[in-house]
């Protein structure tokens, strides 16, 4: 069960994926009520590498599982977002996607100190995935009312 990422084509190849995800109440609640407009801000250009500030379709054995990517990179911290389609949730995909994406970013982005996830306080599944992937919950809630979870690059790990 290997996955790979494809440049997200929201009006073509991946229209069904993003259209279905845009109707998902959890995605509306946890990412954005207008998911399609939100996603449009993060259209990838490069097919060969994962770009900062871009989203990608997650493909496994020919099936579209969801989306993953980053929204910003500031002060060495990369903000990562992922979402799994409703009909394939609770099968461990989120766990593996976050694990592989975290390692990819840490190994391939110059100047990265850590990765941040913003998780809705009620999203128990995503909090569990973050915890299982050794992300650490910050004590602060951000301006959007979301919990912030961090994974620090081993060479930049902060003592708590």
């Amino acid at each position: 069960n290997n996955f790979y990422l494809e440049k997200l084509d929201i009006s073509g190849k991946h229209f069904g994926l993003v259209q279905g995800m845009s109707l998902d109440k959890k995605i509306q609640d946890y990412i954005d009520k207008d998911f399609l407009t939100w996603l449009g801000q993060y259209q990838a250009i490069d097919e060969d590498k994962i770009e900062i500030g871009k989203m990608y379709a997650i493909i496994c054995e020919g099936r579209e599982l969801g989306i993953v990517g980053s929204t910003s990179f500031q002060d060495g911290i990369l903000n990562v977002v992922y979402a799994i389609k409703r009909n394939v949730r609770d099968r461990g995909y989120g766990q593996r996607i976050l694990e592989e994406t975290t390692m990819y970013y840490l190994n391939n982005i110059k100047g990265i100190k850590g990765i941040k996830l913003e998780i809705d306080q009620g999203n128990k599944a995503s909090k569990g995935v973050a915890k299982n992937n050794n992300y650490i919950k910050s004590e602060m809630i951000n301006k959007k009312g979301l919990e912030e979870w961090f994974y620090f690059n081993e060479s930049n790990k902060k003592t708590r």
Side-chain angles (χ1 to χ4, degrees):
N1 286 1
N2 292 331
F3 349 46
Y4 66 94
L5 304 182
E6 287 182 354
K7 182 172 83 169
L8 197 56
D9 179 3
I10 62 174
S11 58
K13 183 175 184 179
H14 303 114
F15 178 77
L17 168 69
V18 297
Q19 186 67 30
M21 292 180 79
S22 73
L23 300 173
D24 185 331
K25 175 105 173 75
K26 285 188 176 182
I27 287 174
Q28 291 172 3
D29 289 347
Y30 298 154
I31 295 180
D32 199 290
K33 296 234 180 285
D34 189 355
F35 181 67
L36 290 177
T37 301
W38 178 86
L39 207 51
Q41 303 173 76
Y42 303 107
Q43 287 291 278
I45 297 161
D46 197 327
E47 195 76 65
D48 297 330
K49 63 178 179 156
I50 299 177
E51 298 174 278
I52 295 172
K54 305 298 178 192
M55 290 292 162
Y56 297 86
I58 305 162
I59 312 296
C60 181
E61 297 177 356
R63 292 178 44 205
E64 298 171 329
L65 301 180
I67 58 130
V68 66
S70 63
T71 57
S72 64
F73 185 52
Q74 199 168 5
D75 300 324
I77 303 296
L78 184 70
N79 193 47
V80 170
V81 175
Y82 72 95
I84 307 299
K85 279 179 22 178
R86 181 183 316 140
N87 66 336
V88 293
R89 286 187 191 136
D90 301 320
R91 298 184 191 176
Y93 290 125
Q95 180 77 27
R96 285 193 44 225
I97 288 162
L98 185 59
E99 178 183 353
E100 290 182 25
T101 303
T102 297
M103 290 304 113
Y104 177 88
Y105 284 134
L106 290 175
N107 292 322
N108 290 284
I109 296 178
K110 285 185 181 166
I112 192 167
K113 296 177 185 170
I115 295 175
K116 175 175 74 172
L117 302 174
E118 296 178 329
I119 302 175
D120 186 276
Q121 295 174 57
N123 190 342
K124 291 180 182 158
S126 286
K127 291 196 291 188
V129 167
K131 190 174 185 177
N132 290 340
N133 274 291
N134 299 314
Y135 278 73
I136 301 164
K137 181 182 165 208
S138 167
E139 296 304 312
M140 301 192 43
I141 303 295
N142 70 17
K143 291 180 220 167
K144 297 183 254 179
L146 302 172
E147 293 179 358
E148 293 185 342
W149 290 70
F150 292 92
Y151 186 102
F152 291 104
N153 194 342
E154 286 300 316
S155 61
N156 293 299
K157 210 163 218 170
K158 304 209 178 208
T159 51
R160 300 216 176 273

